[in-house]
Amino acid sequence: MLKLSNMSISNNLPSSKTTFIITCFTLISSILFILNYQSTSTNELLSTASTLTFQIFNFSNPVSHDPPSSNKNTCDIFDGRWVFDDSYPIYAPGSCSYVENEFNCFRNGRPDFGYLKYRWQPYGCDIPRFDAKKMMEMLRGKRLVFVGDSLNRNMCQSLVCSLRMFQGQTFRNKLNYNYYFKDYNCSITLITSPFLVQQRHLPKKNEKLRLDILDGMIYKHRDADFLIFNTGHWWNHNKSRNGENYFQEGDIIHEKMDVGVAYAKALKTWANWVDNNVNTSKTKVFFRGFAQTHFMGGDWDTDGVCHNETEPITDEKLLKPYPFLMQALEKVISEMKTPVTYLNITKLTDYRKDGHPSMYRHRGRKKPRAIQDCSHWCLPGVPDSWNELLFSSLLFSSEGFNRTTY
């Protein structure tokens, strides 16, 4: 082969003097390389091999045309894009009896199905497809509890539907739900607590929000194996009466308090409770981030709509600014002593303006100008991806490869 190569370039060889200089330079470089290679310690070589194995485990199916990663040993599974995948959804529309009417877009007459055919693809690595049997094995003999607002109800029903192949029993007490799977002796519970902190009624029947006391229902589940918290959608000026005589600490009812300040105080109350009450040797704590809304032409109560949206946003420049609520959340989590797995779904939901129930939040005649739901999500749909990310986080964590802890 070398001879053939020399023959092919023989007519373009440099002079003998130049050749001698190049040969000497090449020889010296080779000697230096060998010496440097031999000086590498055995431990360094083993370390390199270990790192390579780690990378192969996490990135066995790299995605083409992805932005380069600044750290090849890590992969942010919450940073990526939506790709069309005809093998989705995970469960067929209308096949799950656990889906409440307000999320059941198929049964409520939504005519398009393209929004069901997308999966979340992180940059630089793949996440495993949701595996119901593996998930049930991780839940065997354990309790998983969702605590939060109706968006956590969205996620809870999505998870139960993804596990529908296993027979379960449903119990409901007002806004709280419990799904029990006898064969695996495990349960999935939803505790409705939109603020996480306590709401109480004073003698004048004016509802006040105690920023310094956690919702009492949460105490009963502090020893669950998995706790998945969320809050965010009720922290706005509309639902908190513009912060006027609504927020309370101790005996003090604040005449006026910014909602963002109140939100941060409530999160600190939650964080202190978790740090002081949760046994991390038994319980794994998650916090799911804010799911973006897509009202256009107004808000939910001012004729905002999204019923004409049938495809995701594809240009990242069209996404909304990162919510200040999530910035406050990340600061609180970073200061906790308890490790919290942060399911940061804010960006991935921002792309999905096509995934809301809109005017298909109920059955019957559809009126485009009626109140639309551009906050919650159709099921099957976007929340199924949240549970794939939850599944991935649990799977990686059980194998020592957790990439989601903030």
Side-chain angles (χ1 to χ4, degrees):
M1 180 65 69
L2 180 60
K3 184 176 181 180
L4 290 174
S5 297
N6 285 338
M7 288 177 61
S8 66
I9 60 172
S10 60
N11 294 329
N12 297 308
L13 286 173
S15 65
S16 59
K17 183 178 181 180
T18 303
T19 302
F20 176 79
I21 294 173
I22 292 174
T23 302
C24 291
F25 177 81
T26 303
L27 180 61
I28 294 171
S29 298
S30 300
I31 293 172
L32 290 174
F33 173 81
I34 293 171
L35 290 174
N36 182 64
Y37 177 81
Q38 289 177 338
S39 67
T40 304
S41 68
T42 303
N43 289 336
E44 289 175 326
L45 290 173
L46 290 174
S47 176
T48 302
S50 176
T51 301
L52 181 59
T53 302
F54 184 86
Q55 291 173 343
I56 290 174
F57 179 87
N58 277 303
F59 312 121
S60 58
N61 295 303
V63 184
S64 61
H65 307 298
D66 286 334
S69 173
S70 59
N71 186 344
K72 296 298 184 180
N73 294 330
T74 64
C75 175
D76 181 359
I77 62 175
F78 304 103
D79 185 24
R81 69 187 190 279
W82 290 94
V83 297
F84 188 86
D85 190 328
D86 201 44
S87 69
Y88 278 68
I90 296 173
Y91 50 96
S95 67
C96 183
S97 61
Y98 298 119
V99 178
E100 292 187 18
N101 185 60
E102 60 190 286
F103 306 144
N104 202 330
C105 303
F106 172 77
R107 192 170 297 170
N108 293 338
R110 180 166 176 171
D112 62 303
F113 299 99
Y115 72 97
L116 297 171
K117 297 295 184 178
Y118 290 90
R119 64 174 173 81
W120 180 247
Q121 176 64 66
Y123 291 131
C125 63
D126 285 342
I127 57 173
R129 186 185 176 99
F130 187 90
D131 187 317
K133 188 172 182 179
K134 283 186 179 180
M135 186 68 179
M136 287 301 286
E137 286 298 337
M138 288 190 284
L139 292 178
R140 183 186 289 276
K142 297 179 179 179
R143 288 191 296 140
L144 184 151
V145 180
F146 289 94
V147 184
D149 58 28
S150 55
L151 274 298
N152 248 12
R153 179 155 51 95
N154 228 177
M155 183 177 181
C156 178
Q157 290 180 17
S158 164
L159 179 58
V160 175
C161 286
S162 298
L163 298 170
R164 73 196 183 288
M165 62 184 291
F166 301 97
Q167 187 174 2
Q169 295 175 291
T170 307
F171 307 94
R172 180 175 178 179
N173 178 20
K174 295 182 180 180
L175 295 177
N176 300 325
Y177 300 72
N178 187 71
Y179 306 90
Y180 178 68
F181 300 88
K182 182 178 180 180
D183 291 344
Y184 285 81
N185 188 30
C186 67
S187 63
I188 297 173
T189 301
L190 169 71
I191 303 300
T192 300
S193 179
F195 293 104
L196 297 184
V197 289
Q198 179 178 305
Q199 293 173 276
R200 58 182 299 192
H201 293 272
L202 297 182
K204 292 184 179 181
K205 303 297 182 181
N206 292 324
E207 190 177 47
K208 311 297 177 184
L209 191 66
R210 286 295 299 266
L211 301 176
D212 55 342
I213 301 177
L214 203 71
D215 189 329
M217 286 294 297
I218 301 176
Y219 284 82
K220 300 177 182 180
H221 301 277
R222 63 181 180 272
D223 61 344
D225 299 277
F226 307 103
L227 285 171
I228 304 174
F229 295 95
N230 98 292
T231 187
H233 283 269
W234 285 57
W235 293 96
N236 57 66
H237 292 285
N238 189 348
K239 292 185 177 181
S240 62
R241 303 176 188 173
N242 290 318
E244 296 177 356
N245 296 311
Y246 187 71
F247 300 119
Q248 181 175 347
E249 292 179 281
D251 295 329
I252 300 175
I253 299 175
H254 298 281
E255 292 184 8
K256 182 72 175 179
M257 178 181 285
D258 181 78
V259 174
V261 173
Y263 173 79
K265 286 178 176 288
L267 282 180
K268 288 180 181 178
T269 297
W270 165 79
N272 289 335
W273 179 86
V274 170
D275 281 343
N276 294 318
N277 290 275
V278 172
N279 179 3
T280 55
S281 64
K282 171 180 172 56
T283 303
K284 188 170 182 61
V285 180
F286 295 81
F287 202 108
R288 182 184 56 74
F290 183 79
Q292 288 284 21
T293 62
H294 295 91
F295 291 99
M296 290 182 291
D299 209 338
W300 69 273
D301 56 348
T302 56
D303 296 330
V305 299
C306 56
H307 66 283
N308 287 323
E309 302 298 337
T310 59
E311 295 181 349
I313 295 171
T314 56
D315 186 353
E316 188 172 341
K317 295 178 182 178
L318 299 178
L319 301 182
K320 300 175 183 177
Y322 197 61
F324 78 94
L325 293 180
M326 291 303 94
Q327 297 177 38
L329 169 65
E330 290 165 10
K331 183 177 186 300
V332 169
I333 292 177
S334 68
E335 295 171 350
M336 295 174 66
K337 67 180 182 181
T338 303
V340 175
T341 301
Y342 177 34
L343 301 175
N344 188 1
I345 52 99
T346 300
K347 183 177 180 181
L348 69 89
T349 56
D350 203 351
Y351 285 105
R352 295 306 307 273
K353 59 185 175 67
D354 59 320
H356 300 288
S358 63
M359 64 180 181
Y360 301 102
R361 57 194 289 263
H362 52 73
R363 299 188 191 185
R365 186 178 178 182
K366 304 299 179 289
K367 299 179 181 180
R369 303 311 299 178
I371 293 178
Q372 295 197 13
D373 185 353
C374 305
S375 298
H376 298 96
W377 305 88
C378 297
L379 292 180
V382 172
D384 301 330
S385 68
W386 309 350
N387 285 309
E388 280 199 314
L389 291 165
L390 171 65
F391 171 70
S392 298
S393 299
L394 289 172
L395 189 64
F396 293 159
S397 179
S398 66
E399 298 176 351
F401 295 99
N402 190 356
R403 283 311 186 193
T404 59
T405 301
Y406 182 79

